[in-house]
């Protein structure tokens, strides 16, 4: 109920008697009057029916008159007079705080009509009609309706006072405001209320009652009208304007509008541009059909806020008045409901697309109360019957424009490997995530370190099987180096130390593309067999003493530098002296031997230094030379390495510490000064003093410790870092392009479930690694195909840059749909491309763009954030294609017929694309 209170007298019922002092004719006897009026007052209240207020004093006078039984008595009440119920006789507002029984009585419409026909109504007085409303648990006559002050956002001074029932909907207020303010039918409007604190609140849900909206009498309701460019005036007042200043006077092709990158939001822009160019979905929002289907009470939805934010975005991009817009309101709304998209980190456009489709579906779900539905199994029934039942069950809980446009139906077949039990189910899908045929080979880049010190390390690119072992890498490298595979050791070098020493049986999947892999030529193994005559392979680190001392001036620090070595040492030379000489030989390419003069000088210095302590220390030195490994005391060197922990290779690399090496460091103090000293260390390259003596016995690592001055004089760092590139470095593994249908065929191929995802067999009563096959049963109007370019495993991640060739037109799915076909409608299986989301770059970083076909002009455009430019169809196919949008041909043809018969909504909607009005960078 809505009533304009500006002129209530115009609606007054005229008095039925010519003179209020005379008794009307055809009045029944008094007993009949009492019976009709009394019975009417006792009738139950019915929601929506009318009741009328009668002033208590007049009604009591009528009762005395009727009960007296004398129609000529002086107690005749005269015309109905409700003057005592009004504040004044101009506005005819009802007095406040009137009480039933004390100030007035209520009469139903039939009794009121009798009264007016018998006694008439005082001239000029309006009847006081009120409706019966139904509140939770009670029905009552709404004596005091809700009075609201309606204004326009553009004219806050002119207010209309309108009466509404508390049970009226917010939509009735909106429609009344549109009528009162003469708003054109094609214009969008929305309502705001001003609360007691002076702030404004949106009346989002127009389907609820004014009671549920908590509106009060005298409250100000503001109607806002959308601007012609798709924005709202309130957004500009709140500082949330999405439009750059330079676009104020722009007019161009609707839909040709960029989206500003807010900071790593290209993934969002790409997904939005693809969805924006789905014709039927965009028309749904442009024509405001979404307003009738907003679901504000769905616990799985976003209270309609996501759908409204997306609608605002669509209306702005398709207004034709913007080169680009800033989607900050939509970005904030997405982050509010999906915390994974908060902030400005890079994300996946397909992940956002999945969230957006699901969120829009729940916000626009026509099913307000979802019923419980059991999953249906085939159980030997015909596929047509089971599929129809599954689709109907899906629609009982999910019915929206998203379901109408994007949802199709799978057939899933699971077969138990033990008992042969077959389970057939039909499941809905919103998009297809299809795998790409993966090449069985990969290219690894490695550095080969030969034993010949005259040769520099060599960089190689070798082709190995993806699921091969380290032995396959050695075999492939041997073809380039002519070194036998059994004379190679593969190592992962990180931060100047061995992160991992691989065994021949280790899988190649453990090696990432970014790892620094070194392959060393050796003449033995790190794990020698006791009693064997093979050479011993010793890992060697290079360390330099730092010039700074610690706070108590007790020791120097050490830092690692250069590339570590794997040195083969013959058993008969396995001593500190022998190891030093072998290392000098291995480093001879970039380490210069001291001249004889330098040797003499150093030796003389050593002898002079030793004379003072010879007598006191000779016995200790002799003991040191004959004793076993010792653990240095607290004044020995402490390390300041920068890298992290090792992968624990020491446990499987036993070190044969026999009588050959008796001390933990070399040379002893009385020996002639050398270029570097040697010391046993752990796999991290440190001499951890917490290491137990038992663990010290198994450490195979040696450190070459250099004084800064000696390293500067004799160690050539430039030469040490030098390497040569083998001819194979220029080799690139050629990847043949694949057809989109190959990916779809691979998607429908039988596969065996993984151990982490077994299937419970109802026949065996246990989980089984069943075989699974997916088939396409029913395809949607718009088919989204997600190319699974990003490959994830437990230890590796990679992006597949394979070129997938896909048709622009006439993609035929008839060979993949197993549902019995309708031969008379071939268009049900043919699709045309309408949009592509592209990803350029790798796993860690990248950039998203979009190709899309404008629904009005049919012209393809390239959307790169806020830049938009026209493109030809032959530019669309690339290795960057990530998500494909295909529209069924019968739907596209229907859309074309509809758009050609409709009047363009924009004055420029029929214009052709013009590069002069686009921001082409």
């Amino acid at each position: 109920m809505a009533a304009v209170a500006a002129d209530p007298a115009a609606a007054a019922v005229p008095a039925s008697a010519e003179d209020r002092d005379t008794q009307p004719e055809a009045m029944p006897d008094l007993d009949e009057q009492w019976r009709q009026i009394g019975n009417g007052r006792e009738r139950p209240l019915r929601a929506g029916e009318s009741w009328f207020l009668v002033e208590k004093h007049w009604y009591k006078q009528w009762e005395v008159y009727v009960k007296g039984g004398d129609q000529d008595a002086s107690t005749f009440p005269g015309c109905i007079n409700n003057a005592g119920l009004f504040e004044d006789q101009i506005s005819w507002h009802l007095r406040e705080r009137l009480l039933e029984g004390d100030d007035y009585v209520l009469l139903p419409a039939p009794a009121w009509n009798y009264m007016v026909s018998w006694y008439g109504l005082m001239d000029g007085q309006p009847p006081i009609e009120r409706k019966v409303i139904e509140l939770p648990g009670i029905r009552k006559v709404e004596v005091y309706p809700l009075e609201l002050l309606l204004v326009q956002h553009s004219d806050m001074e002119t207010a209309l006072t309108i009466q509404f029932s508390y049970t009226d909907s917010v939509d009735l207020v909106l429609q009344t405001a549109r009528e009162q303010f003469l708003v054109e039918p094609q214009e969008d409007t929305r309502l705001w209320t001003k609360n007691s604190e002076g702030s404004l609140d949106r009346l989002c849900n127009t389907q609820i009652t004014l009671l549920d909206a908590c509106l009060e009498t005298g409250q100000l309701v503001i109607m806002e009208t959308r601007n012609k460019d798709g924005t709202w005036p309130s957004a500009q007042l709140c500082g949330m304007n999405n439009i750059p200043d330079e676009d104020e006077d722009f007019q161009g092709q609707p839909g040709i509008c960029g989206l500003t990158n807010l900071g790593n939001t290209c993934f969002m822009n790409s997904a939005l541009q693809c969805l924006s160019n789905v014709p039927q979905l965009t028309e749904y929002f442009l024509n405001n059909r979404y307003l009738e289907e907003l679901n504000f009470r769905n616990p799985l939805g976003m209270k309609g806020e996501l759908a409204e934010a997306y609608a605002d975005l669509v209306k702005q991009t398709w207004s034709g008045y913007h080169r680009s817009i800033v989607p900050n309101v939509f970005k904030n709304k997405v982050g509010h409901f999906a915390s994974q998209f908060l902030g400005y980190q890079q994300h996946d456009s397909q992940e956002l697309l999945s969230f957006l489709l699901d969120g829009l579906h729940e916000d626009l779900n026509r099913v307000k109360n979802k019923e419980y539905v059991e999953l249906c199994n085939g159980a030997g029934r015909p596929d047509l019957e089971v599929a129809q039942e599954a689709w109907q069950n899906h629609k009982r809980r999910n019915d929206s424009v998203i379901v109408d446009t994007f949802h199709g139906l799978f057939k899933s077949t699971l077969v138990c490997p033990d008992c042969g039990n077959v389970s057939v189910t039909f499941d809905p899908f919103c998009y297809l995530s299809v795998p790409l045929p993966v090449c069985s080979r990969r290219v690894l880049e490695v550095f080969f370190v030969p034993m010949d010190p005259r040769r520099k390390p060599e960089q190689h690119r070798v082709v190995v099987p993806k699921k091969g072992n380290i032995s396959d890498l050695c075999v492939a490298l041997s073809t380039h180096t002519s070194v036998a595979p059994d004379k190679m050791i593969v190592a992962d070098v990180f931060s100047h130390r061995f992160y991992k020493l691989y065994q021949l049986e280790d899988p190649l999947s453990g090696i990432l593309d970014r790892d620094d892999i070194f392959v060393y030529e050796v003449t033995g193994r790190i794990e020698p067999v006791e009693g064997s005559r093979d050479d011993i392979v010793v890992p060697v680190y290079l360390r330099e003493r730092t010039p700074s001392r610690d706070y108590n001036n007790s020791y120097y620090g050490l830092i690692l530098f250069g590339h570590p070595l794997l040195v083969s040492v013959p058993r008969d030379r396995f001593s500190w002296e022998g190891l030093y000489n072998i290392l000098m030989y291995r480093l001879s390419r970039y380490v210069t031997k001291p001249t004889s003069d330098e040797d003499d000088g150093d030796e003389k210095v050593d002898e002079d230094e030793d004379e003072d302590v010879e007598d006191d220390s000779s016995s200790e030195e002799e003991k040191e030379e004959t004793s076993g490994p010792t653990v240095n005391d607290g004044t020995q060197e402490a390390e300041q390495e920068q890298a992290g922990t090792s992968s624990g290779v020491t446990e499987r690399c036993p070190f044969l510490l026999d009588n050959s090496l008796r001390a933990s460091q070399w040379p002893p103090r009385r020996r002639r000064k050398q270029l570097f000293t040697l010391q046993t260390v752990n796999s991290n390259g440190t001499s951890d003093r917490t290491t137990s003596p038992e663990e010290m016995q198994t450490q195979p690592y040696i450190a070459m410790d250099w004084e800064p001055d000696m390293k500067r004089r004799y160690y050539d760092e430039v030469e040490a870092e030098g390497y040569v590139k083998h001819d194979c470095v220029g080799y690139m593994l050629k990847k043949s392009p694949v057809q989109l249908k190959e990916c779809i065929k691979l998607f429908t191929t039988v596969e065996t479930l993984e151990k982490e995802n077994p299937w419970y067999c109802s026949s065996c009563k246990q989980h089984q690694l069943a075989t699974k096959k997916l088939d396409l049963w029913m395809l949607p109007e718009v088919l989204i195909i997600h190319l699974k370019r990003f490959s994830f495993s437990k230890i590796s991640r990679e992006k597949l840059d394979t070129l997938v060739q896909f048709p622009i037109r006439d993609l035929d799915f008839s060979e993949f749909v197993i549902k019995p076909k309708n031969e008379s409608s071939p268009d049900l299986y043919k699709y045309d491309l309408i949009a592509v989301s592209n990803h350029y770059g790798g796993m860690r970083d990248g950039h998203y763009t979009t190709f899309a076909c404008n629904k009005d002009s049919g012209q393809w455009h390239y959307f790169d954030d806020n830049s938009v430019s026209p493109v030809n169809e032959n530019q669309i196919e690339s290795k960057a294609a990530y998500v494909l949008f295909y529209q069924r041909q019968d739907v596209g043809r229907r859309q074309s017929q509809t758009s050609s018969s409709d009047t363009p909504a924009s004055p420029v909607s029929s214009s052709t694309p013009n590069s002069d009005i686009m921001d082409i960078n």
Side-chain angles (χ1 to χ4, degrees), residues 207-240:
Q207 305 305 315
I208 61 174
T209 65
L210 302 184
L211 180 65
D212 293 334
C214 301
L215 296 184
E216 300 175 351
T217 291
Q219 194 162 3
L220 187 68
V221 177
I222 306 168
M223 185 186 71
E224 181 183 20
T225 304
R226 191 190 295 270
N227 296 325
K228 63 180 180 180
D229 64 355
T231 61
W232 293 102
S234 58
Q236 300 174 357
L237 297 176
C238 299
M240 299 297 288

Side-chain angles (χ1 to χ4, degrees), residues 278 280-281 401 403-408 779-784 830-832 834 886-892 894-895:
V278 175
Q280 54 267 56
L281 184 64
V401 65
V403 175
D404 299 341
T405 306
F406 298 101
H407 282 207
L779 297 179
E781 293 184 354
V782 175
L783 179 62
I784 302 176
K830 289 187 177 182
Y831 285 78
D832 294 334
I834 58 174
Y886 277 94
Q887 184 180 51
R888 210 168 61 203
Q889 286 187 350
D890 67 313
V891 178
R894 188 166 63 245
Q895 289 283 339

Side-chain angles (χ1 to χ4, degrees), residues 164 213 319 546 572 681 766 834:
F164 298 93
S319 67
T546 58
D572 57 357
V681 293
Q766 60 182 351
I834 58 174

Side-chain angles (χ1 to χ4, degrees), residues 884-918:
L884 310 176
F885 285 69
Y886 277 94
Q887 184 180 51
R888 210 168 61 203
Q889 286 187 350
D890 67 313
V891 178
R893 191 172 296 109
R894 188 166 63 245
Q895 289 283 339
S896 300
Q897 294 173 353
T898 303
S899 60
S900 62
S901 61
D902 292 342
T903 302
S906 170
V908 293
S909 61
S910 59
S911 62
T912 57
N914 184 354
S915 60
D916 295 336
I917 63 174
M918 297 186 219

Side-chain angles (χ1 to χ4, degrees), residues 847-903:
H847 183 59
Y848 288 92
T849 64
T850 299
F851 289 113
C853 180
N854 186 274
K855 68 180 183 66
D856 296 333
S857 66
Q859 169 70 47
W860 281 87
H861 290 82
Y862 181 63
F863 297 83
D864 185 359
D865 289 334
N866 61 343
S867 174
V868 185
S869 56
V871 293
N872 297 322
E873 291 185 358
N874 56 11
Q875 298 176 260
I876 298 172
E877 187 180 279
S878 72
K879 293 182 178 180
Y882 183 45
V883 183
L884 310 176
F885 285 69
Y886 277 94
Q887 184 180 51
R888 210 168 61 203
Q889 286 187 350
D890 67 313
V891 178
R893 191 172 296 109
R894 188 166 63 245
Q895 289 283 339
S896 300
Q897 294 173 353
T898 303
S899 60
S900 62
S901 61
D902 292 342
T903 302

Side-chain angles (χ1 to χ4, degrees), residues 436-443 461 466 513 731-738 789 798-805 879:
L436 273 63
V438 179
C439 180
S440 60
R441 300 180 300 165
R442 64 181 291 199
V443 175
R461 289 175 65 90
K466 278 191 173 181
D513 291 337
Y731 173 78
M732 297 294 293
L733 187 63
K734 294 182 179 179
K735 298 181 180 179
S736 302
V738 300
R789 291 195 177 275
E798 64 174 330
K799 181 193 174 184
L800 305 176
D801 59 353
T802 307
L803 174 62
V804 178
Q805 296 178 334
K879 293 182 178 180

Side-chain angles (χ1 to χ4, degrees), residues 7 101 435 470 486 503 591 667 681 728 737 754 762 828 851 888 920:
D7 188 15
I470 295 296
D486 60 350
Q503 303 297 306
V591 172
V681 293
C728 64
E754 298 178 350
S762 59
L828 294 177
F851 289 113
R888 210 168 61 203
I920 303 175

Side-chain angles (χ1 to χ4, degrees), residues 465-604:
K466 278 191 173 181
K467 297 184 178 180
N469 298 327
I470 295 296
S471 59
D472 297 309
L473 170 59
C474 296
V475 171
L477 187 60
S478 67
T479 61
H480 297 175
T481 62
S482 300
V483 175
D486 60 350
K487 295 188 181 300
M488 297 180 185
I489 292 181
V490 181
D492 183 354
V493 175
F494 176 72
S495 190
H496 312 292
R497 58 168 60 89
F498 291 117
Y499 182 77
K500 184 172 184 178
L501 295 172
Y502 289 98
Q503 303 297 306
L504 293 176
E505 64 274 11
D506 288 342
L508 286 173
S509 58
I511 298 179
L512 305 181
D513 291 337
R514 64 176 181 268
D515 292 342
D516 292 325
I517 302 301
F518 284 70
V519 181
Y520 295 85
E521 180 186 4
V522 296
T523 56
R525 307 305 300 177
I526 290 183
E527 313 88 350
V529 180
E530 186 173 355
S532 172
R533 295 182 178 274
D534 293 338
D535 293 349
I536 300 174
V537 178
V538 181
V540 180
Y541 293 148
L542 287 80
R543 305 192 300 183
E544 179 183 4
R545 296 180 186 273
T546 58
S548 61
R549 299 173 181 266
D550 75 337
Y551 65 91
N552 61 5
N553 214 30
S554 63
Y555 59 82
Y556 288 97
L558 292 164
I559 59 173
L560 293 170
F561 71 94
H563 297 303
L565 299 172
L566 287 179
V567 180
S568 300
V569 182
R571 288 180 178 270
D572 57 357
R573 299 182 61 185
F574 195 65
S575 64
W576 287 118
E577 186 78 28
L579 186 58
Y580 178 85
N581 293 329
I582 291 176
L583 289 174
M584 285 295 297
Y585 173 73
R586 286 294 301 271
L587 274 58
S588 61
R589 182 171 55 85
Y590 47 91
V591 172
T592 306
K593 290 184 178 182
T595 63
S596 58
D597 294 339
E598 291 173 322
D599 283 347
D600 294 340
D602 291 339
E603 186 175 359
K604 185 176 185 298

